[in-house]
Amino acid sequence: MPGNKYNCKSLHTQKQAELSEFFLTDGENLALSGDEDCAEGVAAARAFADGCEWQEGQPSKQRLLVVANRLPVSAVRKGEDSWQLEISVGGLVSALLGVKEFDARWIGWAGVNVPDSVGQKALTKALAEKRCIPVFLDEEIVHQYYNGYCNNILWPLFHYLGLPQEDRLATTRSFQSQFDAYKKANQMFADVVNEHYEDGDVVWCHDYHLMFLPKCLKEHNSKMKVGWFLHTPFPSSEIHRTLPSLDQKLLRSVLAADLVGFHTYDYARHFVSACTRILGLEGTPEGVEDQGKLTRVAAFPIGIDSDRFIRALELPQVQEHMKELKERFAGRKVMLGVDRLDMIKGIPQKILAFEKFLEENLNWRDKVVLLQIAVPTRTDVPEYQKLTSQVHEIVGRINGRFGTLTAVPIHHLDRSLDFHALCALYAVTDVSSCYILRDGMNLVSYEFVACQASKKGVLILSEFAGAAQSLGAGAILVNPWNITEVAASIGYALNMPADEREKRHHHNFMHVTTHTSQEWAATFVSELNDTIVEAQLRTRQVPPLLPIKGSVDRYFQSNNRLLILGFNATLTEPKDTLGRRGGQIREMELKLHPDLKEPLKKLCDDPKTTIVVLSGSGRSVLDNNFGDYNMWLAAENGMFLRLTKGEWMTTMPENLNMDWVESVKHVFEYFTERTPRSHFEVRETSLVWNYKYADIEFGRLQARDLLQHLWTGPISNASVDVVQGGRSVEVRAVGLTKGAAIDRILGEIVHNKGMKAPIDYVLCIGHFLPKDEDLYTFFEPELPSDPPVPTIPRPTSVPTPVNPSLPKISTGKSGSKGSRLKKQRSLSTLEKRANIGIVNAWRPTLMRDRMSLHEGSSVLDLKGDNYFSCAVGRKRSSARYLLKSSDDIVTLLKELAEGREPMPLDSEGGAMPLNSESGEQSSEII
Ligand SMILES: O=P(O)(O)OC[C@H]1O[C@H](O[C@H]2O[C@H](CO)[C@@H](O)[C@H](O)[C@H]2O)[C@H](O)[C@@H](O)[C@@H]1O
Ligand SMILES: O=c1ccn([C@@H]2O[C@H](COP(=O)(O)OP(=O)(O)O)[C@@H](O)[C@H]2O)c(=O)[nH]1
């Protein structure tokens, strides 16, 4: 059976005894044997199972479903329906055995293939008594998912060892087939979780084996509280992106979790950075945001159950063992390595460094011994098999070279030790050698420290182990690749004076005994609970999704509709479809979404519909994309207006002060030169520095710096607004917002069309900068007491330098037409309620004091509900509704263009209320 060979064959009677206690009394199913005198080890090993006893009479413990690839026990079949359970070994199991605060169940693979239902039933029953629930994976899945995708692809990649060459995987083991098996296995885990999940449970998924699990779980039940913790390093995004084209899916799946945890801040930072750089999402100090959904990301450094080790040292059998070891190695200093026989543990490098030390220090040759416990692991993976032979060869060579008839310098064991033997070994060690190439944390270094209260030995620790962040000050940190440096460190450690050893040990001991595995688990789960509460609060502030059906129905019930559409990220293709090489030049030009061409054409030709594309883009961009349609184009945030049949005219206030342009341009030039793939646009009324194609993190830093330059220099006294976008900085003349412009645009449209009937439907969609969201609120009725909406400031005395030749929109006698439009729109309390989504039929009396068209009727008659403002791809907005992406706009405009029959009116002649199924009141995060 392929699977873990970590400990099964090498368990001692002591471990068996722990298990017989741990797994209580099922004589039928369990075939265990062991000593009676191992109370200490037993107490520790039963920690996980203890949950059920604690439950009696204590109903308040939260249920915790721990989901990990491996159960804390591996099963060995003893008969058709009889199983022996052996405790699994590894950092993850060790740490989670310390989790006692919860009513916990563990879901995972028992490390064995059980094809028959009799065997499955018996094993399920045996495991159930230990609060373990099996996921049955067949041999082929284990081969492709565990040996293949997990241990041959993700494991080396996450530890910076690179990907294997795909042709070495053979045809049946391509990346794709292994990835498919990985997904399938994750779904199998999800199915078992779903089956056992109860409302309120916390589901804690562990490690790189289960990166798909959060998504599978949330798809099944979005209310499930899901946390995911990675026990390995998370590599730099540059490494992560080499995962062939599948990486985005993995990252996205993990992001479905509510809380994502790592051992160190560096790993968390790498993860956020991968999400920002590869997925283009927004990284914040809290985590990663994707359209309003925040996935909390944080560091939760794991610990050990230190008391368990400290107590074990007092046990007579451990003392006895220590005595034997001391006698055995009397007169020699003991160096110790305890590792799974894994490439990441750097065992060959460790042994070579020891060889170099012996080479250079003749006097130490018979005075020091290296004990290396190399626990066999993942023995079905060829790379691990190769490593075993390589290590044997080096050990043999060095022992041959430096050994004598009575002693060898290296004692190498291909097996695991039981807990008490391990504690004794840790306690008699002088120098612990943890020069791992990469390790998520490395609990062995913690365990060594816990057992060194009297000896105060030295820890040599790789700077690439997560533990270096916590034990770095007390340990001697080394680069394991630098064999010369490691050899020198061995000498330094062996010769270290007692007072220095004491100081260093004290520092580490304090850390290990205060940052325990119990505390780690409790912190993670409590953070997960808090995250859910915060997410619920945040959700309430997010506008609901646009009720498509309702908005379409009302469109067809209306006779004079106005559609105001943004361009960038509204009518263009969604950026996700550009893939992660989104920085390429060909994508720099904004292009109308191809699927929108037809519906847009139909809508433009509908005499009852007026369409305005209102964009920050310049005139030529709008000309190129919309020149063939019959619509209004409003370029540069509405500063220029054109009916596509006519000429451009400007809505700009006269004598606009643009003195600041040249000096702002200099600053933009400076930063463009120094920020690869950034660029800037000089528009007629604004300047935009854009870094959306630049390295996102560098771009953000540069933007911050650029703003400082601007504020302290060119714009310190200028009448400008600085508008920060997601990846841009725009400087524009003060007050030139889309909301201010629409006032005048609308006036022009009404005038141009000679409109007789009021506009009775407005759909306004855009991915606007916060400053331009005043467009959404423009159409919201105001309370009489509300302050007036800011309008363009009076033109200054300096004449505007731009396009003096363009025709001006006439502003009429008593101010602009727009100002007059605004004036008549006062709001009753009832209308205000309509703004927050309360269905509101038409009330003619409330429209009485609105501005008149030529014959005295109102320009806007939206009946309270016939106004749909939608922010695209935003999480928070002053729009009434949200849309996820321009794909949704395709759906919406297609429906509008189809031209179906209007929905019937209600008995009073008003529009029917919006459908509740439409999501109008729902606060679902998109
Ligand atoms: O289950 P296996 O394939 O036999 O491997 C054993 C475990 O190895 C890895 O352990 C990691 O977790 C430790 C605790 O957080 C950490 O200290 C260590 O640095 C990691 O390598 C693996 O992540 C586990 O899933 C395996 O069970
Ligand atoms: O003979 C052995 C060797 C190791 N371990 C345990 O295996 C774990 C190894 O965890 P670590 O974080 O150092 O590395 P991992 O193996 O998880 O990568 C530690 O808790 C050790 O006590 C064990 O029980 N018996």
Side-chain angles (χ1 to χ4, degrees), residues 6 15 89-92 94 155 309 338 340 344-345 373 375 415-418 422 426 439 441-444 447:
Y6 195 105
K15 185 74 96 186
V89 185
L92 191 152
S94 304
W155 179 265
F309 287 85
V338 178
R340 280 181 303 107
I344 67 155
K345 303 290 182 180
I373 314 300
V375 184
R415 43 166 277 205
S416 67
L417 295 184
D418 67 67
L422 203 55
Y426 283 141
D439 217 345
M441 180 55 86
N442 189 260
L443 293 183
V444 163
E447 295 168 2

Side-chain angles (χ1 to χ4, degrees), residues 496-521:
M496 189 180 285
D499 59 339
E500 184 179 345
R501 279 195 283 117
E502 168 126 27
K503 257 189 241 152
R504 285 175 179 266
H505 168 76
H506 177 72
H507 179 278
N508 286 342
F509 192 76
M510 291 305 291
H511 183 90
V512 167
T513 49
T514 48
H515 296 78
T516 61
S517 51
Q518 293 91 319
E519 191 212 26
W520 164 72

Side-chain angles (χ1 to χ4, degrees), residues 597-607 611 629 897-898:
K597 290 185 177 169
E598 212 184 297
L600 209 52
K601 175 102 189 57
K602 279 191 192 161
L603 289 168
C604 287
D605 293 342
D606 184 337
I611 297 190
Y629 297 83
E898 267 170 25

